[in-house]
Amino acid sequence: MADPTIKDVLTSDHSELYDTLTARRYFAKFVKIGGYLGRVAAEMETEGRLSRTEARVLGGYLKAVAATFQALSHKYLMTGRDDGATRLTIDRHESGFPVAQELMTMAVDAQQAERHLAGMPSEAELKDRMVRQIVGDLTIPTTLQFALAQRYYYEALQAGGIFWARNDPDAQWIENIGERRHFLVHWAVWDTQVNLPVVYLMDLEDSGRKPLPSDVFRWPQVQAALMAQAIGGLKLLTIATGFDKDFADLHPKRLRRITLGPMYSASFTLQSGPISKVLEGAKAPEGQDWALVWTVEDLLAEREEPVKDGWFSSSQRQVYKLDPVAGAELGATRQDRMIILPERPYQVLVEQDPKGLRGLRKFVVGDGGRLIPTL
């Protein structure tokens, strides 16, 4: 692939990582940041903003995101060192994450992982060949290193636990409420519009004859409907009211959307607005020049009302509570935005106190990787 021109670099939102050390620094940064996401989820559970079940479900998705980055780090381990090595493409503008196309390619690779592994030498054989080349030929076994990295990549895909481009809905029974069953339905996507992992949690009451997950007629329809609506541009109110209307015996009481990102970094992304001045003012060394934003949107039903759906029948519909200020524009009951950042950028953030970042909850990474939530 030809190198991009200067014009391409300046005008494209997507960027390829060409250099070996740059690619490795990128993945090392995300491994470190990924560790903080779980702690933020634990803090939210402690504060009562996530139930234990929700925290466990969210934790599973966070582990899956980490596994995805681990698999990609194997795939691109030899970027810039071997002619056959491919390059990671990231969204460097208002995302910082790999583009969705990377996840789609990974899903295709996963389907063929077994066949690839069957045709590859074993790890022990590849390492033995490397030693013999180093000792015998006195050359660096770059091609063999590339082959081993690809083997690790396919093994990671085969092991599973990956956050895919689409992660179909699953349902967790919570309790029975009168004649209804309460489920937590969850699903996730790597949103193609913003190139970010997005998790959906829905509290659902089921008044059907069969439990939803074992209903062979309703459950596939529900899964298809929810995946079709998993688009970041849609408001929660639009998703929930449409679902409530389409499934008369399912009652969505709460819908939550958690967007994991964007990640801003002076080394990898083009940021605009106040976060740009904060990172620029921090002049932080490598490893501390980042910030990650985490957004939680919440839509709550405040009551049910009967509505006629035929000449002689009626059904229950949810009436959702909207934010008293943002209202219909937000399409949710509330929105919480949080930002995780190291100590030095946080100090600059406090000094500059930019208006656009005042409403964000701050989590500061202190000495030794300690995470300090602020009020």
Side-chain angles (χ1 to χ4, degrees):
M1 181 182 297
D3 290 348
T5 64
I6 294 176
K7 180 181 178 182
D8 292 335
V9 172
L10 293 176
T11 57
S12 176
D13 285 344
H14 298 174
S15 177
E16 289 184 336
L17 301 185
Y18 292 85
D19 179 69
T20 306
L21 295 179
T22 302
R24 294 183 182 180
R25 282 207 317 271
Y26 176 81
F27 286 114
K29 185 184 293 290
F30 262 100
V31 167
K32 181 179 291 185
I33 295 174
Y36 300 128
L37 296 179
R39 297 192 217 172
V40 173
E43 180 67 24
M44 292 176 67
E45 181 187 356
T46 301
E47 296 175 354
R49 300 169 68 183
L50 286 177
S51 69
R52 177 166 296 184
T53 303
E54 290 171 331
R56 179 178 56 77
V57 168
L58 180 58
Y61 285 116
L62 294 178
K63 286 182 181 177
V65 172
T68 294
F69 275 95
Q70 184 66 46
L72 287 173
S73 72
H74 292 314
K75 179 179 180 180
Y76 295 107
L77 184 67
M78 299 298 290
T79 290
R81 292 190 59 190
D82 186 89
D83 292 339
T86 51
R87 301 161 177 171
L88 174 70
T89 303
I90 65 171
D91 181 349
R92 63 176 186 161
H93 188 71
E94 304 296 350
S95 168
F97 282 65
V99 298
Q101 183 61 42
E102 294 282 355
L103 278 291
M104 297 175 189
T105 302
M106 182 182 286
V108 175
D109 290 342
Q111 294 176 355
Q112 306 175 68
E114 184 175 355
R115 184 166 60 85
H116 281 286
L117 288 170
M120 287 179 168
S122 68
E123 178 183 351
E125 185 178 350
L126 285 168
K127 287 183 176 179
D128 181 63
R129 291 185 188 179
M130 288 183 202
V131 171
R132 282 190 278 121
Q133 180 174 337
I134 294 170
V135 175
D137 301 341
L138 300 180
T139 58
I140 299 174
T142 305
T143 303
L144 292 171
Q145 290 173 329
F146 175 72
L148 183 57
Q150 297 310 295
R151 179 170 188 86
Y152 286 154
Y153 169 60
Y154 286 112
E155 286 179 346
L157 297 184
Q158 197 174 50
I162 301 287
F163 192 104
W164 303 109
R166 49 177 291 166
N167 306 270
D168 288 348
D170 194 4
Q172 168 77 52
W173 176 83
I174 303 297
E175 60 181 344
N176 287 338
I177 303 175
E179 296 181 348
R180 294 183 179 182
R181 309 170 194 86
H182 175 196
F183 291 101
L184 174 65
V185 181
H186 56 91
W187 66 101
V189 295
W190 198 280
D191 195 300
T192 56
Q193 295 182 353
V194 293
N195 293 310
L196 290 175
V198 182
V199 178
Y200 292 82
L201 305 172
M202 175 185 279
D203 280 291
L204 191 66
E205 290 183 6
D206 176 15
S207 59
R209 295 178 60 185
K210 289 184 177 180
L212 178 61
S214 56
D215 190 324
V216 296
F217 296 104
R218 291 186 302 156
W219 185 226
Q221 293 180 338
V222 166
Q223 290 178 305
L226 292 177
M227 290 309 301
Q229 298 292 306
I231 302 171
L234 285 181
K235 296 172 183 174
L236 293 187
L237 182 64
T238 303
I239 299 172
T241 53
F243 185 89
D244 190 31
K245 182 180 179 182
D246 292 342
F247 298 93
D249 50 9
L250 296 174
H251 318 283
K253 294 295 184 180
R254 181 178 190 174
L255 179 59
R256 181 176 289 185
R257 178 164 57 198
I258 303 171
T259 304
L260 306 173
M263 188 279 288
Y264 302 102
S265 167
S267 304
F268 297 103
T269 61
L270 297 174
Q271 42 279 331
S272 57
I275 192 65
S276 173
K277 294 182 179 178
V278 168
L279 292 178
E280 183 181 335
K283 296 183 173 58
E286 176 64 32
Q288 298 185 34
D289 60 337
W290 59 270
L292 185 134
V293 174
W294 189 348
T295 303
V296 181
E297 300 165 83
D298 219 350
L299 179 69
L300 288 166
E302 58 180 357
R303 65 181 187 277
E304 278 187 3
E305 290 182 347
V307 295
K308 289 186 67 65
D309 59 359
W311 286 99
F312 306 105
S313 62
S314 64
S315 61
Q316 298 293 320
R317 295 281 172 77
Q318 309 302 310
V319 177
Y320 293 100
K321 181 180 180 181
L322 294 179
D323 183 277
V325 178
E329 182 180 354
L330 179 62
T333 308
R334 59 181 292 174
Q335 181 188 70
D336 294 319
R337 300 192 73 202
M338 292 161 273
I339 186 170
I340 311 168
L341 69 177
E343 206 164 6
R344 188 182 293 191
Y346 173 69
Q347 291 172 350
V348 175
L349 175 64
V350 173
E351 292 169 4
Q352 293 184 355
D353 191 24
K355 184 178 178 181
L357 299 178
R358 286 176 190 168
L360 274 65
R361 175 86 183 277
K362 283 83 175 177
F363 290 86
V364 185
V365 179
D367 293 338
R370 191 163 50 101
L371 193 68
I372 308 168
T374 64
L375 298 177

